Amino acid sequence: MKKKCSMGGALFIALSVCLCIGCTKKEDKEVTLVMAEVNPAETLAGRTDQAFKEKVEELSGGKIKIDLHCSGVLGDNSAVRKLITQPGSTIQISRQSTAGFAALGCDSYALLSIPFTFSSRDHFWKFAESDTAKKLLEEPREKGLNIIGLYYGEEGFRHLFATKKIESVQDFSGLIMRVTNDKALQAIAENLGMQGVQVNFSELYSAFQTGQVDVADQPLSNYLANHFDEVAKHIILDGHQLGLMETVITTEAWDALSEHQQNILREASKYASDYCRKISQEEEDTVIQQIAAAGVAVTKVDDITPWQKAMAGFIQEASAGNPALYQEILNYAK
């Protein structure tokens, strides 16, 4: 009898646990999270966003909906970043450049934007999957920015493109380059002898048309998707930076989710990051073929040394604040 009672008790406890888990999931409130993307849906960034959206909705059984808006309809990255770091944001999730957070005081992120830090995609992804990178996802919240990092991605290496012939470091002297508040981008303009001018991304196409700028930089997928091949038909594959992405969520939205829902977002984040890694190189190879066929003058860089020499002073200065962490990032290339 004692054994029977024990089995019955164990069965009751097991059923209670199962029912409790079921209740927890059923009691999850339906949530809609607005997500902003500055690039078109067909870009690598847009497709990664879509992968995240679909996985969240699948895992939650539709109880968490991601209301994704692409092509900058909710504002450019700067405007969205300003909004999501404030309380009561009407946008809860945004795919951003890590350089944008460096400008807001996330000092560790600035190291990721130093030119020629990542020697290859494999180098970056070894870093992105490390404990070091996971700690960096928490830095925006630690800095009081009202956001938490969900996952990393990359848009491919950033290259310089122009309205004029650019085949070497010397060809940039005297040109006007579109820059942002990213100090690394400003340093590239300065050290290559260019004048830097800040232009909103949404206005960059027309800035080329009017002659306001001669040069800009983007990953290849964004260059093509935003039709810059129509107004700036010269591109040099210098790969000065890897286009690092970080998708973030506001702390208000995150803290309002149940633990079960937070775990869904974590699983979907891993899925989206893996998806990005899978398609990034394939995307870049395809774009190079397309723009070459469209008449864009594509110049490959066989020797990156002159570029590194031009930026050597800035690299040393930019890494001086945390040389140990910077060396740790470099070591993931091994």
Side-chain angles (χ1 to χ4, degrees), residues 96-154:
Q96 290 276 330
S97 149
T98 56
F101 299 125
L104 295 179
C106 294
D107 298 332
S108 299
Y109 283 65
L111 300 176
L112 305 179
S113 299
I114 294 176
F116 309 109
T117 292
F118 293 103
S119 57
S120 67
R121 279 190 165 89
D122 285 344
H123 178 188
F124 165 71
W125 284 108
K126 284 180 183 178
F127 160 76
E129 294 172 353
S130 70
D131 290 339
T132 304
K134 291 172 185 175
K135 289 179 183 177
L136 261 61
L137 290 176
E138 294 290 333
E139 186 172 1
R141 185 173 197 169
E142 292 169 358
K143 295 289 186 179
L145 293 180
N146 193 47
I147 49 177
I148 308 169
L150 288 173
Y151 63 93
Y152 295 102
E154 50 96 352

Side-chain angles (χ1 to χ4, degrees), residues 160 171-180 185-199 204 208 211-217:
L160 294 167
D171 290 336
F172 292 92
S173 181
L175 300 182
I176 302 172
M177 179 178 173
R178 179 259 182 176
V179 298
T180 64
L185 202 57
Q186 294 171 2
I188 289 171
E190 180 180 350
N191 286 284
L192 295 185
M194 292 184 281
Q195 175 188 349
V197 175
Q198 294 206 18
V199 176
L204 182 53
F208 274 116
Q212 184 181 358
V213 297
D214 305 309
V215 182
D217 84 317

Side-chain angles (χ1 to χ4, degrees), residues 6-17:
S6 176
M7 290 178 64
L11 180 61
F12 173 78
I13 292 170
L15 287 171
S16 297
V17 171

Side-chain angles (χ1 to χ4, degrees), residues 73-283:
V73 297
L74 298 181
D76 63 22
N77 271 341
S78 179
V80 172
R81 191 164 56 246
K82 183 177 180 180
L83 180 61
I84 62 175
T85 53
Q86 302 299 317
S89 174
T90 53
I91 298 171
Q92 290 77 45
I93 301 177
S94 175
R95 194 283 308 167
Q96 290 276 330
S97 149
T98 56
F101 299 125
L104 295 179
C106 294
D107 298 332
S108 299
Y109 283 65
L111 300 176
L112 305 179
S113 299
I114 294 176
F116 309 109
T117 292
F118 293 103
S119 57
S120 67
R121 279 190 165 89
D122 285 344
H123 178 188
F124 165 71
W125 284 108
K126 284 180 183 178
F127 160 76
E129 294 172 353
S130 70
D131 290 339
T132 304
K134 291 172 185 175
K135 289 179 183 177
L136 261 61
L137 290 176
E138 294 290 333
E139 186 172 1
R141 185 173 197 169
E142 292 169 358
K143 295 289 186 179
L145 293 180
N146 193 47
I147 49 177
I148 308 169
L150 288 173
Y151 63 93
Y152 295 102
E154 50 96 352
E155 303 174 274
F157 282 96
R158 300 179 73 94
H159 306 290
L160 294 167
F161 56 94
T163 56
K164 303 175 182 181
K165 184 178 75 171
I166 45 171
E167 296 180 343
S168 70
V169 171
Q170 291 76 25
D171 290 336
F172 292 92
S173 181
L175 300 182
I176 302 172
M177 179 178 173
R178 179 259 182 176
V179 298
T180 64
N181 56 5
D182 177 9
K183 291 182 180 179
L185 202 57
Q186 294 171 2
I188 289 171
E190 180 180 350
N191 286 284
L192 295 185
M194 292 184 281
Q195 175 188 349
V197 175
Q198 294 206 18
V199 176
N200 287 336
F201 186 75
S202 60
E203 300 170 355
L204 182 53
Y205 186 98
S206 60
F208 274 116
Q209 288 181 309
T210 60
Q212 184 181 358
V213 297
D214 305 309
V215 182
D217 84 317
Q218 282 292 304
L220 287 173
S221 60
N222 292 351
Y223 170 78
L224 182 62
N226 289 282
H227 308 292
F228 294 129
D229 58 307
E230 299 172 353
V231 290
K233 290 185 172 293
H234 300 267
I235 190 165
I236 188 165
L237 306 181
D238 63 297
H240 52 272
Q241 290 172 307
L242 189 59
L244 304 189
M245 307 187 293
E246 182 176 331
T247 297
V248 299
I249 183 170
T250 66
T251 54
E252 290 174 333
W254 179 257
D255 293 341
L257 297 174
S258 70
E259 183 178 355
H260 174 240
Q261 289 173 322
Q262 289 176 348
N263 286 335
I264 285 174
L265 261 64
R266 288 190 182 102
E267 186 173 343
S269 294
K270 178 67 167 61
Y271 175 83
S273 191
D274 289 345
Y275 174 83
C276 179
R277 181 177 187 176
K278 179 181 177 181
I279 67 172
S280 59
Q281 184 63 57
E282 175 187 324
E283 175 89 3

